[in-house]
Amino acid sequence: MPFIPHTEADVKAMLETVGVDTIEALFDEIPAELRSDGLNELSAGLNEMEIGRLMQERAAEDGLPACFIGAGAYDHHVPAAVWEIVTRGEFYSAYTPYQAEASQGTLQLVYEYQTMIASLNGLDVSNASLYDGASALAEAVLMAVRANRKDKSRRILIPATVHPAYRQTVHTLVRNQGIELVEVPYEPESGITAVESLEPLLEEGMAAVVIPQPNFFGRLEEVDALTDWAHAHGALAIAVVNPVALALLKPPGEWGAKGADIACGEGQPLGAPLASGGPYFGFMACKQAYVRQMPGRVVGKTLDSEGRPGFTLTLQAREQHIRRSKATSNICTNQGLLAAAATIHMALLGPRGLERVAGACHANTGALVERLTRVEGVQRVFEGPVFHETVLRLPVPVDTVIRALGAQDVLAGYPLAEDYPELENCILVCATEKHGEADIEEYGRHLERILDRNRGPACTKLRPPEGTI
Amino acid sequence: MPFIPHTEADVKAMLETVGVDTIEALFDEIPAELRSDGLNELSAGLNEMEIGRLMQERAAEDGLPACFIGAGAYDHHVPAAVWEIVTRGEFYSAYTPYQAEASQGTLQLVYEYQTMIASLNGLDVSNASLYDGASALAEAVLMAVRANRKDKSRRILIPATVHPAYRQTVHTLVRNQGIELVEVPYEPESGITAVESLEPLLEEGMAAVVIPQPNFFGRLEEVDALTDWAHAHGALAIAVVNPVALALLKPPGEWGAKGADIACGEGQPLGAPLASGGPYFGFMACKQAYVRQMPGRVVGKTLDSEGRPGFTLTLQAREQHIRRSKATSNICTNQGLLAAAATIHMALLGPRGLERVAGACHANTGALVERLTRVEGVQRVFEGPVFHETVLRLPVPVDTVIRALGAQDVLAGYPLAEDYPELENCILVCATEKHGEADIEEYGRHLERILDRNRGPACTKLRPPEGTI
Amino acid sequence: MLIFEQSQSGRFNGAQAPAEAPSADDIPAHLRRKGRPTLPEVSELQAVRHYTRLSQKNFSIDTQFYPLGSCTMKYNPRGANAQAMLPGFLGRHPHAPASSHGQGVMACLFELQEMLKQVTGMAACSLTPMAGAQGEFAGVAMIRAWHDARGDETRSEILVPDAAHGTNPATAVMCGYKVREIPTDPSGDVDVEALREVVGPQTAGIMLTNPSTLGVFDRRILEIAKIVHEAGGLLYYDGANLNAILGKVKPGDMGFDVVHLNVHKTFSTPHGGGGPGAGPVVVSERLEPFLPVPMVDHDGREYRWVTESERPQSIGRLSAFMGNIGVLLRAYVYARMLGREGMERVAGFATLNANYLMARLQAEGFEMPFPDRRATHEFVLTLKHEAKTYGVSAMDFAKRLLDYGQHAPTAYFPLLVPECFLIEPTETESRETLDAFVAAMAAIRNEARDNPEIVTSAPHTLPVKRLDDVKAARELNLTWKPEPVA
Amino acid sequence: MLIFEQSQSGRFNGAQAPAEAPSADDIPAHLRRKGRPTLPEVSELQAVRHYTRLSQKNFSIDTQFYPLGSCTMKYNPRGANAQAMLPGFLGRHPHAPASSHGQGVMACLFELQEMLKQVTGMAACSLTPMAGAQGEFAGVAMIRAWHDARGDETRSEILVPDAAHGTNPATAVMCGYKVREIPTDPSGDVDVEALREVVGPQTAGIMLTNPSTLGVFDRRILEIAKIVHEAGGLLYYDGANLNAILGKVKPGDMGFDVVHLNVHKTFSTPHGGGGPGAGPVVVSERLEPFLPVPMVDHDGREYRWVTESERPQSIGRLSAFMGNIGVLLRAYVYARMLGREGMERVAGFATLNANYLMARLQAEGFEMPFPDRRATHEFVLTLKHEAKTYGVSAMDFAKRLLDYGQHAPTAYFPLLVPECFLIEPTETESRETLDAFVAAMAAIRNEARDNPEIVTSAPHTLPVKRLDDVKAARELNLTWKPEPVA
């Protein structure tokens, strides 16, 4: 039997010990009318060879295209050592380290993770990870409402330049607790959030201001000014950051005069494969003052009975299994394996390696934008510095281009019009350290060809882009 | 620096400790005229990301065709657990277990391997593995010459039905020691070795007779008669067997009245991927009486100073590092990782699982032969029972068929004419448990189409097969 | 030794870094980082050796028996891991076009949705919640959305049995509800009379696990469902214990309106030191419009994503993409490998193992709080007698078990039972392993009698001795800091 | 506990077995197996748990410093493993057509051949030998084939220095030669005068390692080459110590005619508990016709196999297919990752580490048999003083080092030096690791002085205490047998 070790003799002897005749008899407390007649709609089991073949065929269907999509998930190189170690049974098949003495591997690793994340963000402390970047932002919002002792308001200012799916997720997760999310518009020329656009939203007080860096358009926000403005008005500053970008960009803890109070973001760029969107992990760091308001698992260093250092879960009094309805969150799972991967990933890259990765992403994105804007009719939409991503306006509908490039195994980018109707025909493109000159040139050439074809007289349905025909 | 941990400060301090100024100075005993001016022809280093991309492209070039070739390497399912465990650093990056106390993992595993291999072969003992099946046969031949106390001849009878590459390898490895390999022809109708064809070769005595089961044509030899004949004439019987087939076939230790004396073969079917031909491993088992003539590493059970059981390399007095020019072989490497894979593979399958694998191979081969011989002009060449493989005669040159099927990502089989000129237009086809009905039908349909096309009037160079046109 | 203590400034792992890029001087100085972060500077070998050795300090399913009650620590098939890590799956961007670069993974997800509906007896499924607790959230949020959609805004309470997982009340609060606890009757079932007294027009719903965390199947579940439904509330099923009834009873048949599943429990995806999990939700027809997005649908021609635009009543999105797909793929592989017969066997053998273990421990003289009940896939044992007689607590037993090479069961939960263990052996453990656990428990009780110090000071054979949790919480040390340079 | 002791008749791992096949009754009964073999009947979890736990009982590079002299235990890059295990490589049948299904792997092999020629300064390469010892065999067999081809059948002797690896004389015998040993001079180099005396028309060649196993570079190598060549013999280079000179000196420039490489040493492929390795051979032009087949060639259009049909003078085939290609792919990836600069750095840092370690141990008062010589990538240390004074042997030191978490160096080899360690730290170890080794050695010497019993009875912290090798050899127990049923 797959995964069940019992022999017939075992079953017989065990039933005897229990004092029943059949396994079915063990279910005799279940009302008879409830007993199901089995799972008849399911198909028969496959052995590992059979399911392996099916899965190989399906994985092959999804292909291995050249990926120029970012939009919150980034195609980075992950050292082979990372997942070879992470999938070791001792990490892979262990549970939450409730028995600290038998879990020093996981616990020390999380302590190292917390150190790396806190330092990367320029903040004091970090938790052991959350589900993903979007839900981490929701937890940060809830945390800010709990933590802000100056302003008891439940209003949160959240710029439109924050990842749209993050805003939707935050909405889902906090709406039932009477928290109001106030969207801050962006400057149409620069694609960033001006301090001036915050002023009119001030009226009723606010618990926190969310500040993305880079923002969803890849643009760099004026984080110092935004942070100082938040603090000046009694709000906490919540940073939403890309951890690879932090190798180049000022860490949240140094934003403005006092630094952001809470930082969170998507950890995927640190060693998690794209994997259709998950599992990833959310990270969260904050100032020491707010540590007891932080959700999620936290590992602390302590001593054993002989005075040797060791590690254990701590601050459990915040958590649901102790505090139940008064917990800081209902979270009990973190993304342990992903945090482990990130820790090993960062250890393998080190500060200089991560800096080079960020530098290469930046340079390649520059080269990509330069190449694509050489194609007739393709324009940059926002002026100003970027990291990783840039918004381009195409002379034809984006979907046509995405489909045509997809057929060439090039993923062109993320179409913006659904989330930002004002950005019709706009696409968000991204390059990482994996996308060198040759890939970029291939994208450029395909784009040229596709636009030429779509400009042709046969495509009468398309609006002719300005300056052509 | 890739894989070198030294900082500049380390280098400086270390050179100071040594008392030299530069690393170059450490090479000052090397005559100046010998110093190379560097490895200028080599290209610059690639990082893991870059080489990863190159290798992915190259692996993709080789594709993942449906494989109906056997001929000594078999496309079996390998449970995922096997290589996930084998590539754990503690197995992967350990060396030969010279320090037994620090190598109980490898040593116990090899002891378990030896038990499994000995039992599979129905013999008393096994070594820790050899390089591959072909070189294992060469070692078995040398061992038989050392071990045979009745007949001091250096003649070995080796049937033409033994894998041609094995015979070539044996020739390479034993020729310089004055050993004579006498080829035994096979019966043209049955494709097996008749006892009658051995008789004329008897004249000058012989050290051993090699007996393959199944033989290279997939045919089952009359192993009892051959073994008894060898023993009756003072020769040892060396079995060359397929370990998966042994789940169904009589083990060498039970052949004839006294059993084969030495068994060897290719271990690849027990958990090693095809991998273009290696690394595989050779296995060898023998009767207790010959254990001290066996080449290669051997692990024995013993006790520690407190009386607890443990494992250690033993019989090292046979080996080159002790015995130098008087060693049983120059071998010092075994195929440790592959033997580990085989052990875990056999533990996961168990006796019943292995039996089912062998049964499925047998059934699928039967179905394959049945399907292909339904194609007009395709015929079975040898009558009689087979395992795994069968020789078919095609109505057109084999190379044409192999090329045309290859273009459809079907590997048709192994062409026999180069090794056996009398088997013109013959191909050795194979099915394992991985090749089900649908694959077989696909092969059959492609073959029909290809033969139809090649029978057409355009292919004038082809001899028309009997009964067509 | 921490990885940071092996770091040396200037050490650089050349194989893992891209070539130096041109300086990013188009980024204004005031937006740039000045100092480098405290990441370790170690060689690849140092990192590999460090984390390989760290891993060896863990207990895990792959190395030890791990009977952690309510966590279903069963074998995580290596085949599921291997298949989920195929390059085509790992390399797929979440926004890769579904038509050209997504049909493979979406086929798996769609079929998983169907299978989960079938095993729970529900009408519709969303796989997107990223963990059990998020599945709970989605479930209660849907209950709320349903009441809201009917304009029924008086409902302010969620009922939760006192034996429930802590996530249940915490979730209810996250959804804006007040929590009201329902007591347990002496037999371990929900106190139905007490329930009757508290339901009313303020009742939004009830969150139930059945079998409960007391390791018993609530025999009056149909009555409970009727009471809550008649009061206008809905029933939420916490799927943490689904392993106990897979193929035997369907939550849908018990009257539940929404169920979350923990695939890292029932469907054997890796526990991973605490995650990632995945917490799909399945619902009855009336809750279908409220399911969280995205989901996978098949339009007869191809698989496609269902998003908020066509589900305007959806509670919305729970993550930036579509949840933990890599985890769901592992669950899919596992479910397909089990198939119909395999899935029906799960509950049977999990229950056999639990009842056998309970019977043997009972025969050894250990006390069960509900001795007349069948164990389900798990059971509760109380060490209050041992605590009183020998001064040896459940915690001490737990720590001493580690020395016997066995992970401890869940201790001190459920909160109702003093000095308790919640023991869940799972169906993938052999009888020999269960016997070894009984032997260890018996041996520890003998030690408690003859030499309690060895138990109360355990563990003795692990990398550290017993750790000081109080110090950890009082003198918070959550990150390493470099020694100040003298 | 052995896996067999966990077996139970009738236990069956359903996920790994194909469906039952129709009985193979076309196979005659007298050719069929009757009883089942003694393979264990365990569940997948039991097997995974057993072998995972077994692995933890090993020392390895990934977990410990492993300064095993002459074995070059350096970091085995995980990236090389991952790339070699790509499905396209793993799934390729050795007889898959080269044109349609082999150009990827053959490109790697061809480029590896070229790189090995370049680093050794030789003219041609065959990758096919499956291990160092098979490379040695191929080398000497080529020397023999060369003499034979010239009709020179008087040459019956191979010269081997007394410090050589045991494989050298064993190989010479396998090739039908008699072995004559050459002594070492007091400085550690080959005794050239003694060599001069024994060369002659009977000399087929000499097998040399340079640097030698004494950890020194033989300074008179050009003179040696001249003497042997003038006598009509050829020079064989044992590549075991190539790590010491990579990028610094090429064996071709020293006058060698044939070189074997151990890719599991110099090119960092896994040691794997003793294999698999690969032992490519590279040769000067005159030996090229004799190289073992197959090799990879490029005909301007595509890669193709070179076989015996176009190399009639080849010594022939050494394996059923083309050797350990999976190992060679790992070596290829490693070589490409190092590249020119990386490869040139190997010898420098390996030598720096060895000299540093030697200097520090010398400063601690340990004795070096060749104190005036530079260390190469390794060096010899003798504990004869410690043995005499404290009664603590090199073996005892070795076993005690294990308690300090360090694998022992090679002990009692080379045979010339009493109570010796041959210590090779490799370039991938950090200075801190070397310092820890020095500290352990010094601590053990103190123990030997103060409390020798703790050293002579070591190890104390491993899964077993010191094992009885004599009993193992005397009471041979090589396979498990079931307990007889009473």
Side-chain angles (χ1 to χ4, degrees), chain A residues 51-316:
Chain A
I51 186 72
R53 183 163 175 166
L54 176 68
M55 294 301 277
Q56 277 160 33
E57 284 163 10
R58 288 187 172 168
E61 261 188 271
D62 293 351
L64 285 169
C67 179
F68 291 97
I69 317 177
Y74 300 93
D75 188 13
H76 292 289
H77 167 68
V78 181
V82 172
W83 285 90
E84 292 207 12
I85 297 175
V86 167
T87 54
R88 285 172 60 84
E90 300 95 321
F91 285 136
Y92 187 79
S93 76
Y95 198 47
T96 305
Y98 292 128
Q99 294 295 340
E101 296 84 358
S103 313
Q104 288 296 297
T106 290
L107 287 163
Q108 180 176 332
L109 190 145
V110 172
Y111 181 82
E112 294 180 358
Y113 164 87
Q114 291 173 177
T115 302
M116 295 184 197
I117 291 293
S119 169
L120 206 51
N121 284 285
L123 285 162
D124 302 316
V125 293
S126 154
N127 69 8
S129 77
L130 296 162
Y131 303 139
D132 81 335
S135 59
L137 178 57
E139 292 287 349
V141 162
L142 294 170
M143 175 180 165
V145 169
R146 286 192 301 271
N148 192 336
R149 290 160 197 274
K150 289 193 191 141
D151 193 321
K152 288 283 113 197
S153 141
R154 297 176 87 80
R155 285 178 84 233
I156 304 285
L157 303 196
I158 185 162
T161 59
V162 169
H163 194 306
Y166 282 38
R167 287 182 278 130
Q168 291 160 23
T169 303
V170 174
H171 179 71
T172 307
L173 293 173
V174 309
R175 64 194 291 196
N176 291 327
Q177 296 186 60
I179 290 170
E180 186 192 354
L181 301 174
V182 182
E183 190 173 299
V184 186
Y186 63 89
E187 298 291 286
E189 302 75 31
S190 64
I192 61 172
T193 311
V195 169
E196 298 75 56
S197 37
L198 299 172
E199 295 288 351
L201 306 170
L202 185 55
E203 37 184 310
E204 304 157 54
M206 61 202 163
V209 179
V210 176
I211 308 170
Q213 184 75 325
N215 72 24
F216 187 63
F217 303 137
R219 286 282 289 110
L220 300 185
E221 300 275 1
E222 288 296 337
V223 291
D224 293 333
L226 295 169
T227 304
D228 286 343
W229 186 89
H231 287 154
H233 296 90
L236 298 189
I238 301 174
V240 191
V241 287
N242 175 317
V244 167
L246 288 181
L248 282 185
L249 301 181
K250 186 187 280 188
E254 298 175 14
W255 291 358
K258 292 194 261 172
D261 303 284
I262 305 170
C264 65
E266 177 52 66
Q268 178 272 332
L270 298 172
L274 286 171
S276 285
Y280 295 171
F281 70 99
F283 62 87
M284 177 179 281
C286 70
K287 292 180 178 168
Q288 186 78 37
Y290 304 121
V291 64
R292 278 162 212 276
Q293 296 302 338
M294 194 162 55
R297 304 285 189 199
V298 178
V299 170
K301 190 173 174 184
T302 186
L303 300 177
D304 75 359
S305 58
E306 294 183 345
R308 282 175 305 190
F311 304 90
T312 186
L313 288 176
T314 192
L315 294 182
Q316 295 198 65

Side-chain angles (χ1 to χ4, degrees), chain B residues 188-190 379-383 390-393 423 426-427:
Chain B
E189 302 73 33
S190 65
Q379 290 164 341
R380 233 177 123 135
V381 175
F382 302 120
E383 287 312 310
T390 298
V391 178
L392 301 178
R393 180 166 277 124
L423 296 176
C426 288
I427 189 167

Side-chain angles (χ1 to χ4, degrees), chain B residues 1 5 10 47-48 84 90, chain C residues 11-12 15-16 56 78 81:
Chain B
M1 297 179 288
D10 284 335
N47 62 32
E48 188 185 296
E84 291 206 11
E90 300 94 321
Chain C
R11 195 176 271 150
F12 184 63
Q16 300 302 347
Q56 294 182 338
R78 287 275 144 188
N81 182 52

Side-chain angles (χ1 to χ4, degrees), chain B residues 20-43:
Chain B
V20 296
D21 290 336
T22 63
I23 290 180
E24 280 311 300
L26 298 172
F27 294 88
D28 58 6
E29 290 190 0
I30 300 179
E33 65 268 39
L34 279 180
R35 287 300 306 276
S36 114
D37 51 355
L39 302 169
N40 302 319
E41 294 153 302
L42 296 184
S43 51

